[in-house]
Amino acid sequence: DGGITQSPKYLFRKEGQNVTLSCEQNLNHDAMYWYRQDPGQGLRLIYYSQIVNDFQKGDIAEGYSVSREKKESFPLTVTSAQKNPTAFYLCASMGQSSEDYEQYFGPGTRLTVT
Amino acid sequence: AQTVTQSQPEMSVQEAETVTLSCTYDTSENNYYLFWYKQPPSRQMILVIRQEAYKQQNATENRFSVNFQKAAKSFSLKISDSQLGDTAMYFCALRDFNAGNMLTFGGGTRLMVKP
């Protein structure tokens, strides 16, 4: 089955610790995205990558970092510099051909920092 | 900068009736896509329908249809014959071709379908 996996589904961390969220896709998509969702709100873009070894900041990149060493993987690190890290995090991917129009989303990771 | 606004935080509809969700947007681009996504309690994002800005004809997918008014920058979603399974958050989104195909989302509308 092709798709996007995010692990774990729920993640708990103590304040001051860095934490890395996993995102893997086997759709052979070039582009990958990380979004943050707060309760009752829409999604906001954190980072995106259109090709391996390259990525761009989104609207709310402060306190986050990413890497794109492999086409299939786009991990997100929530650093201790992120002031309010508790949120729901969604990863997405998309093909880059002219026929590709849809971003496919993973199931998400709920991060709670106390 | 692009913006997407959904002015109805919550709506409810009786099963089998029709409901319309509103969305307005702002962009300086002439070529773009608009989407409606559904997020049920499982929180999985599901694409409901899409509209290409260059197409004048409104998109339709079974019970879901849109009213796309390009000049007014309006993009509403009509759900006909509402079903209990339609209960979810609905998000309007705009795709920017120039910025890595990123999506800009509205704040969402929580739809409750009542039996």
Side-chain angles (χ1 to χ4, degrees):
Chain A
D1 278 305
I4 301 175
T5 57
Q6 291 185 245
S7 60
K9 189 170 184 179
Y10 298 97
L11 191 54
F12 298 88
R13 281 294 183 270
K14 293 290 186 184
E15 196 172 323
Q17 293 179 337
N18 291 354
V19 59
T20 297
L21 281 59
S22 167
C23 177
E24 304 278 333
Q25 55 99 0
N26 61 3
L27 299 168
N28 199 34
H29 286 166
D30 288 308
M32 297 187 74
Y33 307 82
W34 273 106
Y35 293 92
R36 168 181 172 138
Q37 185 179 23
D38 292 288
Q41 297 186 32
L43 282 64
R44 292 182 291 166
L45 183 68
I46 305 172
Y47 267 98
Y48 66 98
S49 168
Q50 293 182 273
I51 197 168
V52 173
N53 292 322
D54 186 55
F55 45 83
Q56 309 296 328
K57 291 181 179 180
D59 298 323
I60 55 166
E62 185 175 350
Y64 299 97
S65 66
V66 293
S67 63
R68 186 86 186 276
E69 297 176 2
K70 299 187 299 182
K71 188 176 185 179
E72 302 78 18
S73 178
F74 190 41
L76 173 75
T77 297
V78 184
T79 75
S80 56
Q82 167 49 233
K83 291 185 171 57
N84 187 16
T86 294
F88 186 63
Y89 291 87
L90 282 156
C91 178
S93 72
M94 195 175 91
Q96 296 283 66
S97 77
S98 59
E99 297 178 350
D100 290 300
Y101 57 84
E102 179 180 356
Q103 285 191 15
Y104 293 84
F105 285 84
T109 293
R110 170 69 182 172
L111 173 65
T112 302
V113 176
T114 56
Chain B
Q2 299 180 122
T3 60
V4 177
T5 303
Q6 294 178 248
S7 59
Q8 305 153 313
E10 294 185 0
M11 293 192 73
S12 64
V13 63
Q14 292 295 131
E15 197 175 4
E17 293 188 348
T18 296
V19 63
T20 298
L21 280 56
S22 301
C23 172
T24 57
Y25 62 93
D26 191 26
T27 179
S28 57
E29 302 297 323
N30 192 47
N31 188 22
Y32 50 88
Y33 280 112
L34 290 161
F35 303 90
W36 279 97
Y37 279 89
K38 170 185 177 180
Q39 188 180 44
S42 67
R43 306 199 76 170
Q44 177 71 51
M45 294 290 284
I46 302 165
L47 179 64
V48 174
I49 198 167
R50 80 175 193 278
Q51 175 78 43
E52 293 92 327
Y54 65 86
K55 289 187 176 179
Q56 292 186 338
Q57 187 172 5
N58 289 325
T60 299
E61 287 287 344
N62 300 315
R63 298 183 295 107
F64 299 89
S65 61
V66 299
N67 183 4
F68 174 48
Q69 301 289 327
K70 190 172 183 180
K73 295 183 178 175
S74 169
F75 183 60
S76 62
L77 174 70
K78 185 171 83 171
I79 306 174
S80 304
D81 186 26
S82 297
Q83 300 176 359
L84 296 178
D86 295 333
T87 293
M89 283 289 287
Y90 286 82
F91 294 99
C92 179
L94 171 67
R95 174 178 156 188
D96 182 351
F97 288 95
N98 295 324
N101 293 309
M102 61 174 280
L103 291 173
T104 300
F105 285 86
T109 296
R110 185 178 303 277
L111 177 66
M112 173 73 71
V113 180
K114 299 179 178 178

